[in-house]
Amino acid sequence: MPLIVKDYSWTQTESMVYISVPLKGVKRGNVDIFSTDDYLKVSFPPFLFEAMLFAPIDDDRSVAKIGNGVVICTLHKQQEGLWEELTIKNADKDKLQEIRERAVLKAQKKAAADTKTKAEKRQEDRKYALETMMKLEEEERNKIENIKESERQRATAELEAWKEKQRQETEWREAQQGLERQKKTSQKPASGSSRGRDTIKLVGQQNSADKQKQVDVRPPRATGSIRIHFTPRVFPTALRESRVAEEEAWLKKQADARRAMNAEVPELKDLKEEERNPDWLKEKGNKLFATGNYLAAVNAYNLAISLNNKIPALFLNRAACHLKLKNLHKAVEDSSQALELLTPAVADNADARVKAHVRRGTAFCELELYTEGLQDYQAALKIDPLNSAINADAERIRQIIQGSVTDT
């Protein structure tokens, strides 16, 4: 049998009700709060606080906060006015049981409605994310096509200019040759005459000068093709640079990715073949995160993880999105998954491990689990002890735990 809490306190205004329930040394992680418009229950075994409220409240606007060893419930009244009592008095057991059952039914209906709403919202977000990614990809393709078209036009203009230059040079050579033939036929030197010899000499000099003026234009080189044969290899790295262990790990990842791509993933049925790539989806998620569209970024990372769940960066980036969206438990889960994949701990993955510890520590602190958060920050400092920002944050968390600073 639970122990009923009776040493609670409450106050009210015309529109609000404030209830303070002491936790009696129980940790906040063991506290369960359940409420409807006319029922409130705070369970922290072996203790129980239960209230059949005097008048209905707005459950959607009401909140509860745990801190300093108490649970503070802030309830919004549906109708303004002062209550005579906090709970209904002189109610028999059947009436109380009826209120409890009604509260459970209301909670179930509300949960079902919330689940349906979230599913519809999630589907809309996924659709929007896919449309956004496809739009970005289409813009990139159009940009590339425009660049190709401008290059084609430039090459065509250069070719036409070269042809025109060749035509002009050909016409000039033909004109020079015609002029030389005309001079030869018009000049007939007298035999044995010194004047005739002088004329022949002048004509020879003129022909030599004309030849020097001619431009030596050589025809363009003939085109051809060279056939190259490469030695086939399974792994794309050159043999002298490859390492067998890394090749086998890479091939296994590629096989896992191909199996995942062949699986039936409903979200991918509208994507093109080249878009079903975890790295492509990761880049799209990064772009969406940079623009502040965190929900769309989460959807992109979700699709990438469904294709390949062995990439630590996907979980690490999704944890950053969940931190922005205040999905703190999911941020903790993704950071933990990233740390599991970042094994063994080597210098190449040190930066990623620091980010994972800091993001998980931040999520813990947002959940007011400062001890767990400090442990993650200390783990990050072991990897990067000279990081001044992490040092400052860790010191602030210590002060909050010791009570010398308040959490703002």
Side-chain angles (χ1 to χ4, degrees):
M1 291 291 292
L3 301 177
I4 305 300
V5 177
K6 296 183 178 180
D7 55 344
Y8 64 90
S9 61
W10 73 287
T11 57
Q12 65 172 325
T13 62
E14 289 288 336
S15 59
M16 306 289 292
V17 176
Y18 305 94
I19 305 174
S20 177
V21 181
L23 290 180
K24 301 180 182 298
V26 178
K27 294 183 179 180
R28 68 176 66 198
N30 298 329
V31 179
D32 178 46
I33 302 173
F34 173 78
S35 69
T36 60
D37 57 351
D38 58 356
Y39 179 74
L40 173 64
K41 181 178 74 171
V42 181
S43 175
F44 45 105
F47 301 99
L48 173 67
F49 169 75
E50 185 179 45
M52 284 64 178
L53 301 175
F54 183 82
I57 62 169
D58 188 347
D59 183 46
D60 294 330
R61 298 170 59 198
S62 301
V63 295
K65 185 175 181 181
I66 304 173
N68 298 324
V70 294
V71 178
I72 305 297
C73 299
T74 304
L75 311 180
H76 290 257
K77 297 178 181 179
Q78 289 189 7
Q79 295 181 353
E80 293 188 356
L82 296 177
W83 292 0
E84 297 177 3
E85 299 288 345
L86 176 63
T87 61
I88 299 174
K89 298 296 184 180
N90 302 323
D92 55 14
K93 292 184 178 180
D94 294 337
K95 179 66 174 177
L96 296 177
Q97 185 61 28
E98 180 184 349
I99 293 174
R100 292 190 189 97
E101 293 176 354
R102 186 169 64 245
V104 171
L105 289 175
K106 288 180 180 178
Q108 290 176 349
K109 290 180 180 179
K110 182 180 177 182
D114 290 344
T115 301
K116 183 178 179 181
T117 303
K118 288 180 180 179
E120 293 175 352
K121 183 67 167 57
R122 191 181 304 111
Q123 187 64 26
E124 291 177 0
D125 292 339
R126 289 176 179 174
K127 183 178 178 181
Y128 174 75
L130 292 175
E131 290 176 351
T132 303
M133 288 186 288
M134 294 174 70
K135 183 178 179 181
L136 291 173
E137 187 65 20
E138 182 65 24
E139 290 176 355
E140 289 182 4
R141 284 197 292 267
N142 292 338
K143 182 179 179 180
I144 292 172
E145 288 298 325
N146 291 335
I147 293 173
K148 289 181 178 179
E149 181 61 27
S150 64
E151 287 296 322
R152 282 195 294 267
Q153 292 177 0
R154 183 182 63 81
T156 302
E158 291 179 355
L159 180 61
E160 292 297 328
W162 180 83
K163 288 181 178 180
E164 179 63 21
K165 183 179 179 181
Q166 292 294 104
R167 184 183 64 79
Q168 292 176 358
E169 291 177 352
T170 302
E171 291 178 353
W172 182 83
R173 285 197 300 270
E174 292 176 352
Q176 291 295 325
Q177 292 172 0
L179 183 59
E180 289 177 3
R181 287 193 297 269
Q182 185 178 1
K183 287 180 179 180
K184 288 180 181 179
T185 55
S186 62
Q187 295 175 353
K188 296 180 179 179
S191 174
S193 171
S194 60
R195 183 177 179 181
R197 287 195 298 271
D198 292 341
T199 304
I200 294 172
K201 183 176 180 182
L202 290 173
V203 172
Q205 292 176 352
Q206 183 67 33
N207 291 339
S208 299
D210 292 340
K211 289 181 180 179
Q212 289 178 357
K213 291 181 180 180
Q214 291 181 3
V215 180
D216 185 13
V217 180
R218 298 182 180 179
R221 296 179 180 177
T223 59
S225 60
I226 301 175
R227 301 185 65 180
I228 301 175
H229 300 278
F230 295 98
T231 304
R233 293 202 65 232
V234 175
F235 196 75
T237 307
L239 182 59
R240 63 181 178 276
E241 301 172 358
S242 66
R243 286 178 287 185
V244 175
E246 292 184 358
E247 290 187 5
E248 292 178 351
W250 184 87
L251 291 172
K252 184 177 182 302
K253 290 180 181 179
Q254 294 298 315
D256 292 341
R258 283 194 294 271
R259 284 195 296 271
M261 291 174 64
N262 292 331
E264 289 296 331
V265 182
E267 293 83 355
L268 300 175
K269 62 182 181 180
D270 295 329
L271 291 180
K272 296 181 180 179
E273 185 65 27
E274 62 271 17
E275 295 171 341
R276 301 184 181 187
N277 185 328
D279 293 327
W280 183 87
L281 291 168
K282 174 177 172 291
E283 291 301 322
K284 291 302 177 184
N286 295 346
K287 291 179 182 178
L288 293 168
F289 181 90
T291 61
N293 195 345
Y294 306 122
L295 281 175
V298 167
N299 290 329
Y301 295 136
N302 288 342
L303 295 178
I305 289 171
S306 67
L307 290 172
N308 189 347
N309 59 0
K310 302 297 182 183
I311 303 176
L314 295 176
F315 294 95
L316 199 57
N317 293 357
R318 192 171 69 175
C321 293
H322 285 313
L323 278 177
K324 294 290 186 181
L325 295 170
K326 300 300 181 183
N327 298 331
L328 303 177
H329 291 91
K330 292 183 178 180
V332 170
E333 292 175 2
D334 281 348
S335 300
S336 301
Q337 183 64 33
L339 285 171
E340 289 181 7
L341 293 173
L342 291 168
T343 53
V346 294
D348 289 342
N349 62 20
D351 291 341
R353 287 185 286 116
V354 169
K355 291 179 182 178
H357 281 298
V358 169
R359 288 172 187 174
R360 188 169 69 176
T362 302
F364 277 135
C365 291
E366 292 286 338
L367 291 167
E368 298 184 3
L369 300 174
Y370 299 108
T371 303
E372 292 81 353
L374 181 59
Q375 291 175 356
D376 268 311
Y377 272 87
Q378 289 173 341
L381 285 173
K382 288 182 180 179
I383 304 171
D384 187 7
L386 300 179
N387 193 310
S388 58
I390 299 178
N391 265 308
D393 291 340
E395 182 59 30
R396 179 171 178 78
I397 296 171
R398 289 192 194 95
Q399 293 175 0
I400 292 173
I401 294 174
Q402 294 168 2
S404 56
V405 220
T406 58
D407 183 17
T408 57

